[in-house]
Amino acid sequence: MDGTSDRFWQEKNLAFFGAVSASLSHEINNVFTIINELAGLLDDHMLRLDQDLPIDPKKLKEISEKIAKQVRRGEALVKLLNRFAHSADHWIAEVGLREMLERIVTISQRFAMLNKAGIQTQFPGDELLLRTSPFLLQQAVFHCIRMELAAADTKRMITVGMERSAGGGALILVESADPVRRTEERDAELAFIARCMEELGGTLERLPGEETIDCVRLGLPPAPES
Amino acid sequence: MKPMRILVVDDEIEFVTTLVERLELRSIEAEGVTRGSEALQRIAEKPFDIVLLDVKMPGIGGMEVIRKIKQEHPEMHVILLTGHGSAEAVEEARLAGAFEFLMKPVNIDELLRIFRLASSD
């Protein structure tokens, strides 16, 4: 498969949805696991009452605050999963680019953390509104990030940025300080990202050389006049 | 009777500290770390009866840690913990020498039962 065949295309679309859903549900399960232990610890302390032993109110307050913190974390994850799932509702929709990039970066942080890497964002200026496919665009950015992460043999910091392009469209940049060495697999990834961008009426530019990838620039066309 | 010595290894610090506290309340000598590399270092410094080990962690993952533990300390029991256990993962854990493979969240009474089983093995 050359990275642009129909089967490869379909598999990548499904794999993207699966990878994100699995990662977020894994993290939600971690939240449940912690709440389970904290509730158990609360029970352990309450059992002391049955044995006429003193309990420390400060300790109970501390546990209850930790539970509340995990509930907030869980709420944020569920919201993220929900927003991501709904991004597939309409193939074309009005998209706030900054908001969408923030979402996909947040989703990608767990993948980065497992690779001992980090992702930072550079979003100067105002929100950019585009009419595009949110699902496909998220996927293109996610694959750019994953490609950088797959090459993370050191503590890599990936930067995701956005800016308005000269023609009124937008430019998304995914780069890292350490260049990514080109491989057959990464070239196939790039071919897939290029196909995503082609579907979006956009462009993909890889910088700079023959052997490495320093930066991937995704160009998006301006929203059509309504 | 000598208390059980348990090492809890998981990248979720809140899970580690809470479970360690609950085990200590049950007179178990428990310690926790959040990285596979820290676990290997701690095991080299001090013997443990049982290692409770998360599968997915940044850096050295649980499967790699268990192989290293079993190479150096074949007598040490390792119980793997995961949020999502596929049949392949269970088989991989068994081949790596895991005593048990548990799904999160885990019930403390069930955990204690498995600890006792491992200790009497």
Side-chain angles (χ1 to χ4, degrees):
Chain A
M1 263 179 273
D2 65 0
T4 57
S5 73
D6 283 344
R7 188 174 153 201
F8 184 83
W9 174 252
Q10 284 167 6
E11 282 177 2
K12 291 291 262 189
N13 274 299
L14 273 175
F16 167 59
F17 204 82
V20 172
S21 306
S23 170
L24 288 173
S25 60
H26 181 98
E27 221 172 320
I28 291 166
N29 193 51
N30 278 347
V31 171
F32 282 137
T33 301
I34 294 170
I35 291 175
N36 179 61
E37 289 309 321
L38 287 165
L41 183 60
L42 204 54
D43 263 354
D44 291 345
H45 284 281
M46 296 308 282
L47 279 173
R48 291 172 64 87
L49 278 180
D50 295 342
Q51 298 160 347
D52 288 329
L53 292 167
I55 54 170
D56 178 5
K58 273 190 202 160
K59 182 73 197 173
L60 299 187
K61 189 169 185 287
E62 183 196 311
I63 298 169
S64 133
E65 280 169 359
K66 284 180 176 178
I67 291 174
K69 187 180 163 192
Q70 291 302 321
V71 169
R72 285 194 297 275
R73 179 184 168 197
E75 278 173 350
L77 286 165
V78 169
K79 192 175 168 190
L80 193 61
L81 179 57
N82 184 268
R83 292 299 302 272
F84 172 73
H86 279 300
S87 71
D89 286 354
H90 303 286
W91 191 245
I92 300 292
E94 186 161 271
V95 173
L97 188 59
R98 177 202 290 263
E99 190 199 343
M100 191 223 78
L101 288 175
E102 276 168 356
R103 182 165 64 239
I104 204 67
V105 164
T106 306
I107 286 169
S108 303
Q109 288 290 4
R110 182 177 163 79
F111 295 90
M113 189 262 290
L114 287 170
N115 279 276
K116 288 173 119 179
I119 310 171
Q120 61 186 7
T121 54
Q122 280 180 357
F123 301 149
D126 299 330
E127 177 62 290
L128 290 177
L129 292 178
L130 297 168
R131 196 157 173 80
T132 189
S133 164
F135 184 75
L136 210 49
L137 183 55
Q138 284 176 127
Q139 190 171 191
V141 177
F142 179 78
H143 279 288
C144 289
I145 294 171
R146 288 294 297 267
M147 191 171 62
E148 293 277 352
L149 288 176
D153 48 4
T154 54
K155 283 190 176 174
R156 186 177 287 262
M157 179 56 77
I158 296 160
T159 305
V160 177
M162 69 167 210
E163 57 192 58
R164 191 177 289 280
S165 62
L171 206 54
I172 300 166
L173 301 101
V174 181
E175 60 189 322
S176 93
D178 312 298
V180 173
R181 187 154 290 281
R182 284 184 67 187
T183 62
E184 207 173 299
E185 200 179 333
R186 282 177 202 139
D187 281 349
E189 280 287 301
L190 277 172
F192 173 75
I193 299 164
R195 176 156 174 196
C196 290
M197 295 313 293
E198 195 185 325
E199 290 277 329
L200 295 166
T203 57
L204 176 145
E205 195 185 351
R206 174 182 64 80
L207 298 174
E210 285 299 310
E211 298 298 320
T212 58
I213 306 158
D214 288 4
C215 172
V216 178
R217 285 185 189 172
L218 308 178
L220 289 158
E225 297 286 331
S226 51
Chain B
M1 200 173 137
K2 238 174 96 181
M4 269 191 262
R5 294 160 304 178
I6 311 278
L7 181 65
V8 181
V9 191
D10 193 296
D11 61 322
E12 290 279 358
I13 180 79
E14 205 67 82
F15 171 72
V16 171
T17 53
T18 311
L19 184 57
V20 164
E21 192 174 342
R22 296 191 74 197
L23 295 174
E24 282 171 342
L25 283 170
R26 288 160 176 82
S27 304
I28 290 172
E29 203 181 297
E31 273 186 46
V33 291
T34 56
R35 292 285 182 270
S37 54
E38 284 178 75
L40 293 171
Q41 195 184 328
R42 199 69 194 106
I43 289 165
E45 291 164 356
K46 178 187 168 180
F48 290 91
D49 300 307
I50 298 166
V51 179
L52 186 64
L53 181 63
D54 185 27
V55 174
K56 253 194 171 166
M57 288 183 291
I60 315 174
M63 290 295 184
E64 200 180 333
V65 174
I66 186 176
R67 284 187 196 104
K68 288 191 171 166
I69 293 174
K70 284 291 175 184
Q71 221 168 22
E72 298 290 318
H73 311 273
E75 76 295 345
M76 204 174 279
H77 289 303
V78 181
I79 297 164
L80 283 167
L81 262 183
T82 185
H84 53 279
S86 61
E88 292 85 0
V90 174
E91 180 61 8
E92 194 184 351
R94 193 187 63 76
L95 289 172
F99 183 80
E100 188 59 90
F101 190 88
L102 297 175
M103 296 285 289
K104 290 180 185 175
V106 65
N107 177 284
I108 190 98
D109 294 327
E110 172 66 0
L111 195 58
L112 294 174
R113 186 186 70 77
I114 291 164
F115 283 172
R116 281 192 293 270
L117 264 178
S119 310
S120 62
D121 188 42

